[in-house]
Amino acid sequence: MPSSAPSTVMVGRAAELAEVRRLFDDVREGVPAALLVEGDAGMGKSRLLREFTAEIEHTADVHVGWCLDLGGSRTPYGPLTGILRSIVTRMGVERVRESVGVGAEALAMLLPELVDTPTDRERTSPERLRDAIASLIEAAAERAPQVLVVEDLHWADDSTLAILSFLLRALDRGRILLLLTCRSDDVRRGDAVSRFIGEATRGRLLERLTLARLDTAAVRELAERISGRPLSEAAFDRMQERAEGVPFFVEEIAGCANGPLPDGLRDLLLARFDRLGDDAQHVVKVASGAERPLSHPLITRLADLPEQRLDEAIREATRSGILVVAEDDYRFRHALLREAVHDDLLPGERARLHRAYAEALEAAASSSDTSEDAAALAYHWQLAQDDRKALVAAADAMRHAKAQYAFATAARFGELALELWPLVPDAADAARLERLDLLLVLGSILRNAGDGERALAVANLALAEVDPEAVEPRLHARLLRNKALYLVNLGRLGAIPLLQQALAIAEARVDDEVFRAELLNQLASRRMIAGDREEAIRLADEAERGAAGAPSTDQLSIAANVRGGSLAHLGEVEAGVREYERARELATGSNAEMRYRVNYSDLLTLLGRYREAVEVAEEGLRRARELRVERTSGSIMAQNMVVPLLELGEIDRVEEMLSRDFVQGTLRVFRMYMSMTHVRVLAWRGRSVEAAEMLQVWLPAFEETGISERQIWYDRVMMAVAVAESAGDLRGALDTILEMLSDERPALLHQRRLLLQGGALVAELRAEGADVAAAAGTISAAWRAQPAQLRDDAWSTILDALLEPHPDSLDAALLFADGDDVPVTFRIVLRLEQARMRVHEGDRAAASAVLAEAAEIAETLGHAQLQAAVARFATDAGLGVRRIAEPSPGADPLTAREKQVLELIADGLSNRQIGERLFISVKTVSVHVSAVLRKLGVSTRTEAALLQKNPSHSATPQPVVVA
């Protein structure tokens, strides 16, 4: 028999191998990389990576995981569990526990060996699991470069794709190379794998390497290496015609060189199989039913041959190049061979084979990974055409995947169970739950998987099947509550009536005060967001009375949270702040605590207390780091830092945070909040066309959600004003604010920032000669209509000065504007107004000086519109703006960001830790550190730290040169 093994030397892939090596060289320098190796079946994707990993096995840790071909019944976290277990084996359990801290408990959901007792699901979360996975990989990368290989991405389950998407964004440092292989012809447009690849490519998170067909010279070289002799021109032409440059087909045809070539692709793939003896063919058929490598005991049981005959059959199958032995298991040399043999089975043969596999898995279930077996059982029982057992397995697989937070995969199994339900007479007994309970669970799973539309569809289906007289009342109330939640997540109307209906059922038919308190708090929250603050307070009060005797005080915290926000929006700011303090004290669970930090930091932002808002959010991030949810829940917390940082003028930091795309994959309502800031940043930078385009994309969603969520309505106004200003349409921006004031619904604190912006627009339009008296009066009246606690503050002084400017009022306003509790742009707006007044008074020297300050601030902030306004006035007034060349005596040479970096240097933090703390890249930190050392005239971090802690420490600051 001619040689049937693949070529021992890879042919025709030198350029591709060099590309992988290039990425690895960067990785060794600490720059993570990800590469998708794609191409049609048989192109040599896995062979390329085996060649590469063999080269670097002594300089890096290589971990390989496979996605399994289980049709729609895919194993949750398919390849990841094997990769993580391989990392743990390399590091050792104790070192892993030390590295990931409390994350070990979350990791134990996938790797039970990490803990001594089974993980209590209530003590962990999806966020902790994702963060723990990232932390484990980063910890491993500190000891050696990590090469993570995920084979056959085209068979990946949704939960694996979700984790990979998260890791691509989260792993922004460390010696980590992620290599993925994907069969292009098995990726369907619009499916989960296609979406993953598209999003990662658009986000520039993933490089792609497509393996093309071999050229003529490479085909000849490969074929002659396999056949062991030169090919005649006729034989080569036949090979070219049949193989079409696909390496695997070249290998198969070269293996048939002594006989006639098969006619079609199927016959070509089965040519080796057809030359086997009966026993070897039987073993190969049995192996074709396996979705994973086969152990010897399993193939012995399934093949049912005497030991000696089995050994000879396996030996023949491996010599033929169909099966290979890998780590004491048997598998097909190539998936195409397995698929060809399996597809050639008769329907009855196929059903019997998969029944045998399912029965073998059931018999061995007690000694193997149950979640993996549950998924495989659903696959095999389906192909065995046993609907009842397939339903049992699908329901079990759904539960196992849900328990591991593999929500997308759990949803697939839940939908499979629904599909099988009408085919099984005793479906409820088989699945061990009623149909409505299945729908309730499935809706929640879909919501957690981020598929709000399907979650809503399932909720509608469930409620359509409810018989109000027969259904269990708590279940009915929960279905209504869940639908309300799904509507909120989608930014749709209708949540409040559903919550009211659920509450009515609970009050009349459910004897559970805590459950009733939860519903009351949810309804109170919706009322507050809709602007009905008095009703929100009443409901929160009632919720607090109901939850008074509960074991946990979290519902009491949430009630105080809602009450605090409602009181503040009514103008009772001090009382609201006190309620938020109660919310903090009463929060025991991480959900209630993070809810307090999100809402309180939001209130502080609305009140203009920007530094406090950032501090509350940063404390939330520190807490998230302790809980090992920094990249997940902590990222949502970071969202609340963006607006106050923008108002403080820390535009670089804001752009850095936005570039991390930390709300990608979250609920639409979170993405809506972030999009508003993104539009404002684009407008800030003068990218008015992009800002307008983004506004148009999001406008329909904001208009729909804004009907029920007053905050979103104000965000829409803020975006429209920013876009109009950036485009130079100041009158349009002012008209948008005046239109806001004509709305008859309750006014929230969000209005204050827009009124202040209205003052700036009035000043600019007045300078252009426009008649703005009526607009100024309308804005002033709206400000005076606020509750007393919201008037007569710094913002009031600034607004009055802009609406009715005179020297004293502008001087007083500027004192406030240079503090931290006023949007930083008003430092420029007020100086520009001062310069106009000085010109009007004839004091051109003073005007020039103050305009120079405005120009410098505008340039420092990178605010394109205000830079243009200052330059325009300077030109129109004939003023020369003199740049400040030297700082005043005793002035601090460091910028605000450099001061932050210096403080963290003094605390002993590394560049990586500083980057984590400030949400900036390590490269950016390095630039700031270099600037700090240069400006302080020191050469080491230690000297800088000493100088920060002891300003009298000897150091000679270097002069700051300003162009």
Side-chain angles (χ1 to χ4, degrees), residues 146-177:
Q146 299 296 298
V147 178
L148 316 180
V149 182
V150 175
E151 291 272 21
D152 299 324
L153 186 73
H154 47 278
W155 290 325
D157 67 289
D158 291 30
S159 300
T160 292
L161 295 173
I163 291 289
L164 289 175
S165 181
F166 169 73
L167 292 176
L168 286 175
R169 289 168 170 81
L171 298 175
D172 57 357
R173 58 183 179 273
R175 297 176 295 171
I176 303 164
L177 176 60

Coordinates of all heavy atoms in Angstrom, one line a residue, residues 146-177:
Q146 N 1.8 33.1 26.6 CA 0.7 32.1 26.5 C 0.1 32.1 25.1 O -0.3 33.2 24.6 CB -0.4 32.5 27.5 CG 0.0 32.5 29.0 CD 0.4 31.2 29.5 OE1 -0.4 30.2 29.5 NE2 1.7 31.0 29.9
V147 N 0.1 30.9 24.5 CA -0.5 30.8 23.2 C -1.7 29.9 23.3 O -1.7 28.8 23.7 CB 0.5 30.1 22.2 CG1 -0.2 29.9 20.8 CG2 1.8 31.0 22.1
L148 N -2.9 30.5 23.1 CA -4.2 29.9 23.3 C -4.7 29.6 21.9 O -5.0 30.5 21.1 CB -5.1 30.7 24.1 CG -4.6 31.5 25.3 CD1 -5.7 32.3 26.0 CD2 -4.0 30.4 26.3
V149 N -4.9 28.3 21.6 CA -5.4 27.9 20.3 C -6.8 27.3 20.4 O -7.1 26.4 21.1 CB -4.4 26.8 19.7 CG1 -4.9 26.4 18.3 CG2 -3.0 27.3 19.6
V150 N -7.7 28.0 19.6 CA -9.1 27.5 19.6 C -9.3 26.9 18.2 O -9.3 27.7 17.2 CB -10.1 28.6 19.9 CG1 -11.5 28.1 19.7 CG2 -9.9 29.1 21.3
E151 N -9.5 25.6 18.1 CA -9.7 25.0 16.8 C -11.1 24.9 16.4 O -12.0 24.7 17.3 CB -9.1 23.6 16.8 CG -7.6 23.5 16.9 CD -6.9 23.5 15.6 OE1 -7.6 24.0 14.6 OE2 -5.7 23.1 15.4
D152 N -11.4 25.0 15.1 CA -12.8 24.8 14.6 C -13.8 25.8 15.1 O -14.9 25.4 15.7 CB -13.2 23.4 14.8 CG -12.3 22.4 14.1 OD1 -11.8 22.7 13.0 OD2 -12.1 21.3 14.7
L153 N -13.5 27.1 15.0 CA -14.4 28.1 15.6 C -15.8 28.0 14.9 O -16.8 28.4 15.5 CB -13.8 29.5 15.3 CG -14.5 30.7 15.9 CD1 -14.3 30.7 17.4 CD2 -14.0 32.0 15.2
H154 N -15.9 27.5 13.7 CA -17.2 27.4 13.0 C -18.1 26.5 13.8 O -19.4 26.6 13.6 CB -17.0 26.8 11.6 CG -16.1 25.7 11.5 ND1 -14.7 25.8 11.5 CD2 -16.4 24.3 11.5 CE1 -14.2 24.5 11.4 NE2 -15.2 23.7 11.4
W155 N -17.7 25.7 14.8 CA -18.6 24.9 15.6 C -18.7 25.5 17.0 O -19.2 24.8 17.9 CB -18.0 23.5 15.7 CG -18.2 22.7 14.4 CD1 -19.2 22.8 13.5 CD2 -17.3 21.7 13.9 NE1 -18.9 21.9 12.4 CE2 -17.8 21.3 12.6 CE3 -16.1 21.2 14.3 CZ2 -17.2 20.3 11.9 CZ3 -15.4 20.2 13.6 CH2 -16.0 19.8 12.4
A156 N -18.2 26.7 17.2 CA -18.2 27.2 18.6 C -19.7 27.5 19.1 O -20.5 27.9 18.3 CB -17.4 28.5 18.6
D157 N -19.9 27.3 20.3 CA -21.2 27.6 20.9 C -21.2 29.1 21.2 O -20.2 29.8 21.3 CB -21.4 26.8 22.2 CG -20.4 27.2 23.3 OD1 -19.2 26.9 23.2 OD2 -20.8 27.9 24.3
D158 N -22.4 29.6 21.4 CA -22.6 31.1 21.6 C -21.8 31.6 22.9 O -21.3 32.7 22.9 CB -24.1 31.4 21.7 CG -24.8 31.3 20.4 OD1 -24.4 30.4 19.6 OD2 -25.8 32.0 20.2
S159 N -21.8 30.8 23.9 CA -21.2 31.2 25.2 C -19.6 31.3 25.0 O -19.0 32.2 25.5 CB -21.5 30.3 26.3 OG -22.9 30.2 26.5
T160 N -19.1 30.4 24.2 CA -17.7 30.5 23.9 C -17.4 31.8 23.1 O -16.4 32.5 23.4 CB -17.2 29.3 23.1 OG1 -17.3 28.1 23.9 CG2 -15.8 29.4 22.6
L161 N -18.2 32.1 22.2 CA -18.0 33.3 21.4 C -18.1 34.5 22.3 O -17.4 35.5 22.1 CB -19.1 33.3 20.3 CG -19.0 32.3 19.2 CD1 -20.2 32.3 18.2 CD2 -17.7 32.4 18.4
A162 N -19.1 34.5 23.2 CA -19.2 35.6 24.1 C -18.0 35.8 25.0 O -17.5 37.0 25.2 CB -20.5 35.4 25.0
I163 N -17.4 34.8 25.5 CA -16.2 34.9 26.3 C -15.0 35.3 25.4 O -14.2 36.2 25.9 CB -15.9 33.5 27.0 CG1 -16.9 33.2 28.1 CG2 -14.5 33.6 27.6 CD1 -16.8 34.1 29.3
L164 N -14.9 34.8 24.2 CA -13.8 35.2 23.3 C -13.9 36.7 23.0 O -12.9 37.4 23.0 CB -13.8 34.4 22.1 CG -13.4 32.9 22.2 CD1 -13.6 32.2 20.9 CD2 -12.0 32.8 22.7
S165 N -15.2 37.1 22.8 CA -15.4 38.6 22.5 C -15.0 39.4 23.7 O -14.3 40.5 23.5 CB -16.9 38.8 22.1 OG -17.1 40.2 21.9
F166 N -15.3 39.0 24.9 CA -14.9 39.7 26.1 C -13.4 39.7 26.2 O -12.8 40.7 26.5 CB -15.5 39.0 27.3 CG -15.0 39.5 28.6 CD1 -15.3 40.7 29.1 CD2 -14.2 38.6 29.4 CE1 -14.8 41.1 30.3 CE2 -13.7 39.1 30.6 CZ -14.0 40.3 31.1
L167 N -12.7 38.5 26.0 CA -11.3 38.5 26.2 C -10.6 39.3 25.2 O -9.5 39.9 25.5 CB -10.8 37.0 26.0 CG -11.3 36.1 27.2 CD1 -10.8 34.6 26.8 CD2 -10.7 36.5 28.5
L168 N -11.1 39.4 24.0 CA -10.4 40.3 23.0 C -10.4 41.7 23.4 O -9.4 42.5 23.1 CB -11.2 40.2 21.6 CG -11.0 38.9 20.8 CD1 -11.9 38.9 19.6 CD2 -9.5 38.7 20.4
R169 N -11.4 42.1 24.2 CA -11.4 43.5 24.7 C -10.7 43.7 26.0 O -10.1 44.7 26.3 CB -12.9 44.0 24.8 CG -13.5 44.2 23.5 CD -15.0 44.4 23.6 NE -15.6 44.8 22.3 CZ -15.9 44.0 21.3 NH1 -15.7 42.7 21.4 NH2 -16.4 44.4 20.2
A170 N -10.8 42.7 26.9 CA -10.3 42.8 28.2 C -8.8 42.5 28.3 O -8.1 43.2 29.1 CB -11.0 41.8 29.1
L171 N -8.2 41.7 27.5 CA -6.8 41.3 27.6 C -6.0 42.3 26.7 O -5.6 42.1 25.6 CB -6.6 39.9 27.1 CG -7.3 38.8 27.9 CD1 -7.0 37.4 27.3 CD2 -6.7 38.8 29.3
D172 N -5.8 43.5 27.3 CA -5.1 44.6 26.6 C -3.6 44.7 27.1 O -3.0 45.7 26.8 CB -5.8 45.9 26.7 CG -6.0 46.3 28.2 OD1 -5.6 45.5 29.1 OD2 -6.5 47.4 28.4
R173 N -3.2 43.7 27.8 CA -1.8 43.7 28.2 C -1.3 42.3 28.4 O -2.1 41.4 28.6 CB -1.6 44.5 29.5 CG -2.4 44.0 30.6 CD -2.3 44.9 31.9 NE -3.1 44.4 33.0 CZ -4.4 44.7 33.1 NH1 -5.0 45.4 32.3 NH2 -5.1 44.2 34.1
G174 N 0.0 42.1 28.4 CA 0.5 40.7 28.7 C 0.9 40.0 27.5 O 0.5 40.3 26.3
R175 N 1.7 38.9 27.7 CA 2.3 38.1 26.6 C 1.2 37.0 26.2 O 1.4 35.9 26.6 CB 3.6 37.5 27.0 CG 4.7 38.6 27.3 CD 5.9 38.0 27.8 NE 5.7 37.3 29.1 CZ 6.7 36.6 29.7 NH1 7.8 36.4 29.1 NH2 6.4 36.0 30.9
I176 N 0.2 37.4 25.5 CA -0.9 36.5 25.2 C -1.1 36.5 23.7 O -1.4 37.6 23.1 CB -2.1 36.9 25.9 CG1 -1.9 37.0 27.4 CG2 -3.3 36.0 25.6 CD1 -2.9 37.8 28.2
L177 N -1.1 35.4 23.1 CA -1.5 35.2 21.6 C -2.6 34.2 21.5 O -2.6 33.1 21.9 CB -0.3 34.7 20.8 CG -0.5 34.4 19.4 CD1 -0.9 35.7 18.6 CD2 0.7 33.8 18.7

